[in-house]
Every structure is written in structure tokens, then in C-alpha cells.
Amino acid sequence: MSLPTEIKIEKPSKERTGTPLLEINNLKQYYPIKKGIFSKTVGHVKAVDGLSLQIYPGETLGLVGESGCGKSTTGRAIVQLEKPSEGEIIFDGKNISNFTNREMRSIRTELQIIFQDPYSSLNPRKRIGDLLSEPLLFHKLATPSEAKKKVEDMLEIVGLPKSYRNRYPHEFSGGQRQRIGIARALILNPKLIVCDEPVSALDVSIQAQVLNLLKDLQNEFNLTYLFIGHGLGAVKYISDRIAVMYLGNIVEIAKTEEMFKNPKHPYTLALLNAYPVPNPHLRGRQRIVLEGDVPSPANPPKGCKFHTRCPIAQSKCREEVPVLTGVHHSVACHFPIN
Amino acid sequence: MFQYIIRRLLIAIPVLLGVTIFNFFIINLAPGNPVDMFVNPNMSAADILAKKEALGLNDPLWEQYGRWMGSMLQGDFGYSFATYEPVLDNIAARIGPTLLLMGTALIIAYLIAIPVGILSATKQYSFIDYLTTTFSFFGISIPNFFLGLGAIYVFGIVFPIFPTGGMTTLGSSGGFVDTFMHLVLPAMVLGTAIAGSMVRYVRSSMLEVLGQDYLRTARAKGLREFFVNNKHALRNALIPIVTIIGLEIPLLIGGAVVTEQIFQWPGLGQLTIQSIGSRDYPMLMALNFIAAFTVLFSNLLTDLMYSVVDPRIKYN
Amino acid sequence: MEEYLLKVDKVQTVFKTGKGEITSVEEVSFQLKPGQTIGIVGESGCGKSVTSLSIMRLLGKHGYVKNGSILFNGKDLAKISEAEMREIRGNEISMIFQEPMTSLNPVFTIGNQMMEGIRLHMKLGKKEARNYAIEMLNSVGIPRSEAIMNEFPHALSGGMRQRVMIAMALSCRPRLLIADEPTTALDVTIQAQILELMKKLRSQSNTAIILITHDLGVVAEMVDKIIVMYAGQVVEEADVFTLFDNPKHPYTKGLIGSIPHIETHQEDRLISIPGAVPSLQNMPTGCRFHTRCEFATERCLQEQPNLIQLDETGEHKVRCWLAEEEAYVSRENKEVFV
């Protein structure tokens, strides 16, 4: 079970150049709250509330935040699992947010998603070989015999023996299932893969296997990732740039190193501080512990949404909504940390 | 909550309307008609036609339906074709015995099903569990009329303990003890039949709860197993059980029709059978309407019960 | 030598199944002094939770401690009657669990559930118990504690519920608290709050803690001593600094190497342990880790290593042939004998 790790390709320089592969402008995803005799809509859960970002070819953009911040909703909107309430999603120069299902079908092969729990996304009654060849046959990208060959190749690429194509999903461990999830996304030769918390359910040693695999595959096939996660360590390890989300908006976005060395948003700093460091010599270090819970996205605070938990909030924060500003290191805060 | 009830009642209107239309046409599709039931050889064809005309049976169906609907909306269910008495008077006289029978049967069903179900679940795969599972299967699969006839044979003939028909002894003035004695057999028959399916509900509901994390928490506090099962587990297991009452009521109505017939219980079930026999259209329409209303109402009651027994559910 | 509060000695826990008994953990030994915090780490399926449930004797209908002893305060918890055990549970030893969302009974109020244990063990009246419960809720930082007493669990956030669980567990002033993945289900900023709370409460009492987690970051922050479990056995035991600075067992090394760090810059690949934890039904012979160990020798395949002491104080123990041989050689050279 060897990984194709030996291929040492010089990492392409991941400077933000050229046109983005994916561009999101002012994405909103609202879910109505209904009440009363005639189910009148009385409000909205604002899962994503005016989010914009760009992903450039060949890079990995990490998207972090706590549960309920809208990171998974964003991922699902990108692959059009849910129609966004508002905003545009431009993929490879085409605005796919108003694509019909038929038009979407032609894009599907280029835009894939990997889920947190691969088990519930794999039909338990189908063999792995069938599960993997299904998309190829559906999109008429291969004849059945070609598909079989391709499935075997793909299993090897993700580090599973060819013979596993005759097995059923329940015969695999969590890490192996995630490899299958990756193989299924990869088999269509996509340009962008949305990785929705792909390692959150895995044990550390298995998590490391999968993260390494994702990195190797990116180099080999020149993939672009949107990596959604809540484990800062994993996101840092795999991402070139990181965007931090809080209550439906991006509060800070920067290159990974820059973000960790020089966080500007107090929420980012608190997140970094809260992460338990696996080094006992660093215990007792100074750190900010945020108080309270994340407010409900049905009723977010006015002004800066973070002001209710922000240790340095001032009166301006309670009234004015901060805008994401800055070219290489953007932050949405009235009083960013230097 | 109030808004929710109003909304549910508003939704019930078209459903009831649909049910009455459906029933009306089904009843009229059945072969024969009310006049055939009381013709005698001396009546001429013209007489029969005149009778039909008088009852309005020659009008087009939709017109007959419209007429029925119109008077029903004014609270008038018409007169019985068989007895010439107002339909509502007949029903009013019969509804008491039916409610008594159904209520008693339901209580018997719960009294059997809850303890047996709990025992069966906490001792899963034991001898007791297999025994109760087997018996509940019998309860489900033996038809009511068979169980009824068996009960009459055993308790009425072999061991003549209980009277086997009617609600009071003929000629006597009734009284509590007399009615109770008459009630035992039909209520037991109806109750055990329902208990059969209910035991299985209780068992599976309890089994599901027994695997929950909060029971481990309760044990970790040092609580006795008795408390863990009968406080923490039971209260949660009861949520689906209390609410299946809404599902049991249609079953009860169906079961009551058969049981009342067997035991000559003077209730709505018996009246239904009689009315079908005499093609008593107005009576059947009213009985069906009541049945449909009861089912809808018990469904609403079920949903409201949810919010009472489960603090997580709120309607608005 | 200081008196031990808990002495777990060669415990073997088995579960009865239709096909005979299955051993879940064996050869589990460790000691704990009053006020000490010990961490049990390992991947899922390593027997961490079964170990803690063996101490509580909450193994369900089919599980029991077959061999070994669990001496708590001089009493062998594996042998005492159920009635005696009930006296200890929730009183002298209490426990908090991973899932705050499902660990509280949804149909009883917080107050009802809080007061249950208090009334049972402290023999307080209803009113006194209520006041005491409110006091406990205050001490774990729950706002509006009096109102919260009448709330049902679903009205609280995950972090708040875990605070309630902690208040409940500590209310009878236990001498030992077992925390089974207490923060795993929580977001990182909430996790930081809960860990801070546990540290604060620990400093106020002399409660010993067994902290079970798969997160090495959490143990690095919290514990004095660590035991590493693999496939139902203790494979290494050391104080927290030694374990992170000088791990001996290849599994421990792999675990530490596979964590993505955020506090240091890291460009190289994560160390990953190939394969997955073997299942209980087919445990490998010899050293259980040999199927995933890159240093495995012929001896590792055949003979099972013992948990041996590596230093004179007996604080650092490891179950590995390689470490044993290495230690033997270095002692030979220094002419120190065991």
C-alpha cells in the first residue's frame, strides 16, 4: 500500500497570478424561518451573508471557522448542491450560479466535492468498483472496460489495492473510505475539489495519511482545493492561503504563514490561541479565551458580528459593519491588531 | 400553539370535505338502495318509484350530495331511512356505550402493554422476551371476531362467568355492576388485540432509549437500575407511545364495529353494521363523518401530545 | 512513597458475545495519586473508554473485568458488590462524557438532573439540594443559574451543557473525576473555555483526573502523566514532558509526528502511521503494533513485549522490544542493573 510519494515535482509558485479559477461575489445563503397560521416568513437564518473570495489555479484555500459559521454552506453552494439565495459563482470564467441542471452537468466533472463522512455518501449496496465507475459512465467519459481500468488505476493512486474494487463500503475503515471518497472525486479529472472537513472524523495518524495523500495528488494532478476545516493544524498544513469565517462572513484572509505569524482580526487571534498546542513546554502561555457562545445566525448582532465576544470591541464596532480591506492580507475589523 | 391549532383545523376542512364526497359516492355505488330494503310484495312499481321520488333518490348524485351538505352545514344530518328518527338522536343514544367500550379497551391495552413492553425490552433475548413477543404476535394476528367467539365460548359457555351479549341484563334496570359484567368480555377482546401491537411499540421504543448516552450518565451518578429504567428510560420511551394513541383510534373504531356486533353491544359499531344492511344513506353518511372527524381530531391530539410530553417540541 | 488513590493492575476487560468472549483491553496498569491528572491517549478502538468504564463498572450487561484489580482507596472495584459500587459512583468517582448533546436526559430539567445525585449522595433535602445545585452551576460559570435550573437541556448550547455535566460530576466533591473526551465535540474556542474551567476547578480541589482524549494538544495542556494505549494495551507511560521530549515507543513517536503543528513553521510531510488499528477479533500475535511498525523484527512478530521500566524512578515505562534492548545496552555500558 505505497503512496505515490516519490514523485518530487517542484511546487509551482503559488503567487496569486492570472485569473482566478473560482470567484465568488457577494454570496448569500438564507433559510426562511416560518411562523403563524399561513406560514409567513418572519426572518432568515443567514448561513452565508455576502461572502466574496477568489481561488487561483493550483492553490489550496483553507476555510476555517466554528460550527455554524457557514463554511460548509459555502462549499455546498460552490458545487451547486444548493442554489444560493443571492450572489454569483464564477467558475473558469462562467457564471454557474444561474446554470440550469443541464448546463450544470457539463461543469460537474470539473467541480467535485469530498465529504466529512464518506460512509454516508457511499451507497452501501454497491461495490466500490461500481461506485467509482458510475460517474465515468454517467458522463459518458469511458466505456465499461475503460472505466474498469481507470478505477483500478485510481485505487492505486489513492493507495488502495486494485482488488478492493469488489468490496462493499462497510468493509473499509474510516481512513480507507475517505480514500475512496477522494478517488471518486478524482476519477472525473476535476479542476477544483471542495474538501468539506475531509479529516475531521479521522484519528490523527489516519488524518496525516489523508492529508499527505491530498498534498501529493495536488502536485501530481495540478488540482485546486477549497479545504474546509475546523482543525487549525490540518488547515495550516495543507493550505496556501487561509480565510477565517465568523457568522457567515470572511473576517480575515491571508497567506498561511502570514496569517499565523501576524493575525490581524481578534477572532483569528483567539482561534489560534484556543488551539491546544501539543507541546507541554508551552503550557501556561498568555492567551485570549473568548467568552460566551457564537450568536445565532438567525439573529446576528448588529455592526461587527463579532463585537459581542470581542475583547477589544468599542462603540464603533456595535454600529458599523466593518468591510474586508487590504490587498494581500485582508481583514474586516475596525481596529485590527498590528 | 393557538395559531398552530387553528392552522391544523383549517387544513382539516378540505380533508373532511373530500372524505364526505368520497363516502357519498362509494355508498351510492353499492348495489341495492334503501327502498329495496323495505319493499314488500304488495307494493306496485309505481309505489316504489313514488317512494324513491319522495326520498329524493331519483335526483342526480351531485344534487343529492349538495342537499346533504347544505343541511349538514346547518347541523341537520337528516332522518334515518330505516327508523324515520333523526339521525343525530340515534347517534346520541349510541355514542355513550361506544365511548365506554373504546375507553376501557384502550386503558386495558396500556395497562398490559407498558409493563410487558418494558420487561421485554430490559430483558431482551431472554425467555420472557421471547414469550411476550410470541404472544403479541398472536394478539396482532388473531382476528377480533375469532377472539370474541373464543371468549364467548370460554367465559360464557364453558365457564359461564360473564354475560355474552348486550350492555345490561334484559329486563333489569342496569346499574354499575351489571354494566361492568357486560363490559368485561368485549373490552378485553378489543383491548388485548390492541395491546398486541402496542407491546411491540413499547418494546422497540424502550430498546432504542436503553442505548442512549443519558442513561449511562444516570448510572454514573450512582442511581439504582430501577430508577434508571423507570424514570430516565421510561419517560423517554413513553414519548412515541403516548402519541401512538392517535394511530390506535382508527384501529379502535374498526375493531369496535366488529366487537360490538359479536357482543350485541348497543354502540355506534353495531349501528353501522345495521345501517349498511338497510342502506340507510343518511345514517351512514353521519357515521362516516364522525369517524373521519375523530381520526383527524386524534391526529391533531397526537401532535399536541408531543409538545406536552417532549419539551423539545414547540409549535408555532 | 506517597499513597496512591487509584491502582489499576493488569486489568483485563472482556465482553460476552454470541461467539464467546472478546477481550477488549488487557494488561492495563497505572497508578494515580490524589490531585494528579493522568491522560490516556490513543486512537479510537484502542480501549481508552473501556478502561474508564471498567473503573466505573459501567460496561453494560455483557462486559466485565475478568482479571486484574482496580484498587481505589484500598477497595478493589472489580470485586465489591453492586450496592457498594453505586455508593462510589457519582460520589467518590464521577464521570463526564464526550457528547454533551446526548449525555443529558432531554425530558428532565437541568435542576432535576443536577439534584438527583446531590440528594442521593449528600442526603440533602429538596430545598437545600436545589440551593446547592445553583451554587454548583455558578461555580462552573453558568449565567442565570437559577433560571437555568428550570430549563431543559435542548435550550442550552453544547458548551453550556458540558458545564452542566461538569457541575453535576463535581457536586459531590469526588476524589476522582474521569473525563472521557470532554471537549472533542466542542468548537475550539469553547474547548478552550472548558479546559480553562477544568484547570481552575482542579486547582481549587484535590480531585484526581483521568483525562481520556485522542488530542495530544489537550493532554499537553492539561496532564501530569500520560499513558499511551494501543490495541487494548498500555504501550508507554511517562510524565508529560518526557513523553513529548523523548518518546520511546514507535507508536507514540508516530502519534506525535502526525500532528500538524500551528506554533512552528512546518514544510515537511507529516509522519503518518500506515494502516489502521487492528480489530479485536484478529489481534496480531507478538507485539500488537508490529503490523504498522517500520522497525518490527522477527522477535516482534513472535513474542509479546512486557511493559518495562526505562529509568530508576520507574516513571517511564514502555512496551517495545527495541526500547527494551536499547535500554539494556545503555545500562550495561553504565553498569547499572535493574
Side-chain angles (χ1 to χ4, degrees):
Chain A
M1 227 172 70
S2 69
L3 305 178
T5 54
E6 314 321 325
I7 315 137
K8 283 265 185 261
I9 298 174
E10 246 338 274
K11 249 192 175 180
S13 124
K14 286 179 180 175
E15 285 305 312
R16 288 195 273 155
T17 48
T19 43
L21 178 62
L22 182 87
E23 193 174 348
I24 301 176
N25 293 321
N26 197 27
L27 176 73
K28 288 184 182 172
Q29 192 64 273
Y30 288 4
Y31 302 102
I33 307 167
K34 295 194 159 133
K35 244 187 176 158
I37 299 178
F38 300 105
S39 302
K40 217 168 62 192
T41 304
V42 293
H44 286 97
V45 173
K46 298 172 179 172
V48 178
D49 196 11
L51 175 142
S52 303
L53 58 79
Q54 295 85 34
I55 304 176
Y56 293 87
E59 76 165 346
T60 300
L61 178 71
L63 197 56
V64 291
E66 294 176 279
S67 38
C69 72
K71 53 190 194 301
S72 286
T73 312
T74 306
R76 294 171 65 85
I78 291 171
V79 295
Q80 301 283 302
L81 285 174
E82 282 172 50
K83 281 276 166 208
S85 315
E86 220 179 279
E88 15 171 62
I89 296 169
I90 298 164
F91 176 70
D92 215 4
K94 290 168 284 238
N95 184 354
I96 59 168
S97 45
N98 45 27
F99 264 24
T100 60
N101 283 345
R102 179 185 289 269
E103 286 173 307
M104 204 49 218
R105 213 169 289 157
S106 61
I107 295 288
R108 284 254 186 260
T109 58
E110 302 185 348
L111 199 53
Q112 287 289 310
I113 186 165
I114 305 170
F115 297 102
Q116 172 174 2
D117 178 7
Y119 191 52
S120 58
S121 61
L122 296 174
N123 184 340
R125 289 178 208 289
K126 287 198 169 171
R127 292 173 197 275
I128 295 308
D130 297 330
L131 284 170
L132 292 181
S133 56
E134 213 168 45
L136 284 175
L137 300 173
F138 176 81
H139 289 285
K140 302 199 171 58
L141 295 174
T143 63
S145 61
E146 283 167 2
K148 190 181 158 206
K149 173 82 176 64
K150 197 142 192 220
V151 166
E152 289 182 348
D153 291 349
M154 198 46 71
L155 284 173
E156 291 227 309
I157 286 170
V158 299
L160 294 171
K162 282 184 201 170
S163 58
Y164 279 16
R165 70 186 158 79
N166 288 323
R167 298 197 179 183
Y168 289 96
H170 70 91
E171 298 176 67
F172 293 89
S173 67
Q176 289 175 324
R177 281 178 198 146
Q178 200 51 283
R179 287 175 192 269
I180 293 165
I182 293 170
R184 187 173 56 173
L186 207 58
I187 203 161
L188 289 169
N189 208 3
K191 288 183 179 159
L192 176 74
I193 301 183
V194 174
C195 309
D196 189 1
E197 308 231 18
V199 296
S200 301
L202 304 175
D203 274 313
V204 269
S205 75
I206 311 294
Q207 177 179 319
Q209 292 172 9
V210 172
L211 288 175
N212 285 338
L213 175 66
L214 283 171
K215 262 198 165 179
D216 294 335
L217 294 173
Q218 179 167 47
N219 289 341
E220 201 178 333
F221 298 103
N222 196 25
L223 296 167
T224 307
Y225 291 145
L226 175 69
F227 188 94
I228 300 166
H230 66 256
L232 276 182
V235 174
K236 178 183 180 230
Y237 175 67
I238 200 156
S239 306
D240 302 301
R241 284 193 301 141
I242 294 181
V244 180
M245 279 186 83
Y246 189 77
L247 273 179
N249 294 97
I250 290 177
V251 296
E252 184 165 7
I253 182 163
K255 279 193 157 181
T256 303
E257 265 178 71
E258 166 71 10
M259 179 81 86
F260 278 82
K261 232 182 261 164
N262 189 16
K264 288 197 167 153
H265 198 285
Y267 178 63
T268 311
L269 182 65
L271 267 188
L272 298 185
N273 272 232
Y275 189 74
V277 174
N279 181 349
H281 297 285
L282 292 178
R283 56 166 77 167
R285 66 192 181 281
Q286 275 290 324
R287 57 186 207 160
I288 303 171
V289 175
L290 289 183
E291 283 176 17
D293 285 309
V294 182
S296 156
N299 188 17
K302 288 206 170 50
C304 173
K305 286 178 180 171
F306 184 59
H307 85 250
T308 52
R309 299 174 80 198
C310 183
I312 56 168
Q314 300 186 23
S315 59
K316 187 183 181 186
C317 305
R318 284 181 270 277
E319 283 139 29
E320 264 177 67
V321 180
V323 200
L324 196 64
T325 47
V327 184
H328 292 294
H329 187 163
S330 321
V331 62
C333 180
H334 294 305
F335 306 99
I337 303 157
N338 290 319
Chain B
M1 181 77 142
F2 179 69
Q3 282 184 335
Y4 176 79
I5 296 173
I6 301 283
R7 192 166 72 216
R8 285 290 298 265
L9 292 177
L10 288 179
I11 293 170
I13 293 174
V15 177
L16 276 176
L17 190 73
V19 169
T20 57
I21 293 175
F22 189 74
N23 277 330
F24 191 83
F25 288 92
I26 285 281
I27 289 170
N28 276 284
L29 277 178
N33 66 63
V35 179
D36 294 343
M37 298 300 151
F38 46 71
V39 289
N40 63 52
N42 301 328
M43 283 171 87
S44 67
D47 286 344
I48 293 174
L49 208 66
K51 188 78 194 167
K52 274 192 164 177
E53 190 63 44
L55 292 175
L57 294 173
N58 290 331
D59 299 336
L61 276 186
W62 60 267
E63 218 178 289
Q64 293 185 40
Y65 175 76
R67 210 161 44 226
W68 179 83
M69 195 61 184
S71 43
M72 191 276 276
L73 285 178
Q74 294 162 33
D76 176 12
F77 282 86
Y79 286 83
S80 160
F81 286 175
T83 62
Y84 302 106
E85 288 166 21
V87 164
L88 279 183
D89 288 1
N90 255 324
I91 287 176
R94 301 270 194 146
I95 203 160
T98 289
L99 288 179
L100 178 67
L101 176 62
M102 289 189 3
T104 317
L106 207 56
I107 291 170
I108 290 173
Y110 274 104
L111 283 180
I112 297 175
I114 291 176
V116 172
I118 293 174
L119 196 68
S120 183
T122 49
K123 306 231 182 295
Q124 196 190 6
Y125 301 137
S126 68
F127 176 70
I128 293 177
D129 184 28
Y130 288 124
L131 196 72
T132 55
T133 314
T134 313
F135 267 100
S136 75
F137 253 125
F138 277 120
I140 295 166
S141 42
I142 296 176
N144 263 347
F145 73 86
F146 188 82
L147 203 62
L149 293 179
I152 290 174
Y153 179 72
V154 176
F155 296 105
I157 298 170
V158 183
F159 308 103
I161 309 168
F162 298 110
T164 58
M167 195 166 124
T168 49
T169 310
L170 276 180
S172 83
S173 57
F176 177 77
V177 177
D178 190 40
T179 311
F180 176 80
M181 290 302 277
H182 280 83
L183 183 60
V184 171
L185 286 188
M188 286 297 270
V189 167
L190 195 52
T192 46
I194 291 164
S197 64
M198 217 182 258
V199 164
R200 301 182 66 77
Y201 276 120
V202 177
R203 181 177 179 270
S204 65
S205 165
M206 192 75 182
L207 277 179
E208 196 176 306
V209 170
L210 285 177
Q212 296 294 321
D213 288 352
Y214 48 76
L215 295 190
R216 194 179 49 186
T217 310
R219 290 193 184 98
K221 277 185 218 169
L223 295 185
R224 282 166 184 279
E225 203 61 14
F226 181 83
F227 276 108
V228 174
N229 285 336
N230 291 297
K231 178 183 172 185
H232 286 267
L234 182 59
R235 181 64 211 279
N236 281 283
L238 279 181
I239 293 171
I241 296 163
V242 168
T243 51
I244 55 162
I245 195 168
L247 299 174
E248 298 288 349
I249 281 176
L251 274 180
L252 260 177
I253 294 174
V257 170
V258 177
T259 314
E260 287 185 7
Q261 187 64 18
I262 294 168
F263 290 96
Q264 296 301 306
W265 190 260
L268 292 176
Q270 203 190 24
L271 182 64
T272 309
I273 299 275
Q274 287 165 1
S275 307
I276 292 171
S278 58
R279 299 288 186 274
D280 192 346
Y281 293 170
M283 188 64 85
L284 284 174
M285 282 305 289
L287 288 168
N288 277 324
F289 184 81
I290 289 174
F293 182 81
T294 315
V295 170
L296 285 176
F297 185 76
S298 55
N299 277 340
L300 173 60
L301 202 66
T302 305
D303 290 343
L304 296 181
M305 288 289 264
Y306 261 124
S307 70
V308 175
V309 291
D310 189 339
R312 285 164 295 185
I313 293 174
K314 285 267 177 305
Y315 294 114
N316 48 35
Chain C
M1 194 139 96
E2 219 180 314
E3 204 41 34
Y4 285 116
L5 175 69
L6 180 75
K7 241 178 131 171
V8 177
D9 191 33
K10 294 214 160 100
V11 161
Q12 183 195 24
T13 303
V14 301
F15 287 87
K16 287 180 247 175
T17 69
K19 295 173 205 144
E21 289 183 344
I22 287 185
T23 300
S24 174
V25 300
E26 62 181 4
E27 293 277 330
V28 172
S29 309
F30 62 92
Q31 297 85 30
L32 191 57
K33 292 172 189 164
Q36 209 177 24
T37 302
I38 192 170
I40 303 183
V41 297
E43 296 171 277
S44 38
C46 283
K48 307 183 299 270
S49 290
V50 172
T51 303
S52 64
L53 293 173
S54 302
I55 298 170
M56 286 294 269
R57 270 214 350 227
L58 288 175
L59 293 161
K61 264 186 246 173
H62 306 292
Y64 70 104
V65 177
K66 193 176 184 184
N67 286 308
S69 62
I70 302 168
L71 285 178
F72 175 76
N73 233 357
K75 269 183 263 181
D76 187 353
L77 300 186
K79 304 234 159 50
I80 60 174
S81 73
E82 183 58 28
E84 274 179 279
M85 194 62 222
R86 272 203 307 271
E87 277 298 303
I88 291 175
R89 277 189 212 124
N91 191 13
E92 288 179 79
I93 307 179
S94 59
M95 193 159 179
I96 46 183
F97 300 98
Q98 172 173 357
E99 275 295 336
M101 290 301 182
T102 56
S103 294
L104 288 167
N105 196 328
V107 300
F108 294 109
T109 58
I110 300 295
N112 184 324
Q113 297 185 59
M114 285 283 301
M115 284 154 63
E116 233 172 16
I118 297 173
R119 294 192 63 183
L120 179 71
H121 296 298
M122 301 177 76
K123 313 276 184 253
L124 291 182
K126 211 167 183 174
K127 191 130 194 257
E128 295 158 298
R130 194 183 160 79
N131 290 336
Y132 184 70
I134 292 171
E135 207 179 291
M136 283 310 296
L137 289 180
N138 284 333
S139 73
V140 296
I142 287 183
R144 309 185 295 117
S145 51
E146 253 175 88
I148 293 289
M149 288 286 283
N150 298 323
E151 287 284 5
F152 289 94
H154 68 92
L156 307 185
S157 68
M160 280 298 153
R161 286 187 212 187
Q162 201 58 299
R163 283 174 194 263
V164 170
M165 284 298 291
I166 293 174
M168 210 147 86
L170 294 182
S171 53
C172 298
R173 310 209 170 284
R175 308 186 59 183
L176 173 63
L177 174 70
I178 302 175
D180 187 354
E181 306 265 10
T183 59
T184 305
L186 303 175
D187 272 316
V188 35
T189 61
I190 308 299
Q191 165 170 287
Q193 291 173 3
I194 297 291
L195 293 181
E196 285 304 313
L197 172 70
M198 286 178 68
K199 281 187 204 164
K200 189 185 108 194
L201 295 171
R202 178 176 63 186
S203 67
Q204 290 166 358
S205 69
N206 199 28
T207 303
I209 300 176
I210 297 177
L211 179 67
I212 294 161
T213 177
H214 67 274
D215 188 336
L216 284 168
V218 172
V219 281
E221 298 268 356
M222 296 286 295
V223 310
D224 305 314
K225 198 161 94 168
I226 301 182
I227 63 174
V228 181
M229 287 191 73
Y230 183 77
Q233 297 179 326
V234 174
V235 294
E236 186 159 6
E237 174 187 332
D239 77 90
V240 62
F241 295 100
T242 313
L243 195 101
F244 276 95
D245 295 344
N246 189 19
K248 284 290 178 200
H249 198 285
Y251 179 62
T252 314
K253 288 179 189 168
L255 272 188
I256 293 173
S258 62
I259 323 166
H261 285 250
I262 71 157
E263 77 281 11
T264 50
H265 185 61
Q266 175 181 34
E267 194 51 70
D268 31 320
R269 293 170 65 80
L270 293 173
I271 297 171
S272 67
I273 310 172
V277 180
S279 72
L280 296 176
Q281 283 83 355
N282 40 47
M283 274 299 163
T285 54
C287 170
R288 291 184 172 179
F289 188 59
H290 84 248
T291 51
R292 302 174 75 189
C293 182
E294 53 178 320
F295 310 107
T297 64
E298 196 56 36
R299 189 180 190 188
C300 305
L301 270 63
Q302 307 295 339
E303 292 173 62
Q304 194 177 108
N306 286 317
L307 193 65
I308 56 140
Q309 301 184 355
L310 286 180
D311 51 4
E312 291 95 291
T313 55
E315 293 288 320
H316 195 174
K317 296 177 189 162
V318 68
R319 185 189 301 280
C320 175
W321 287 126
L322 281 154
E324 192 167 330
E325 281 155 15
E326 187 187 302
Y328 185 71
V329 170
S330 68
R331 275 175 211 176
E332 287 268 274
N333 292 344
K334 281 191 257 163
E335 293 193 21
V336 178
F337 295 97
V338 191

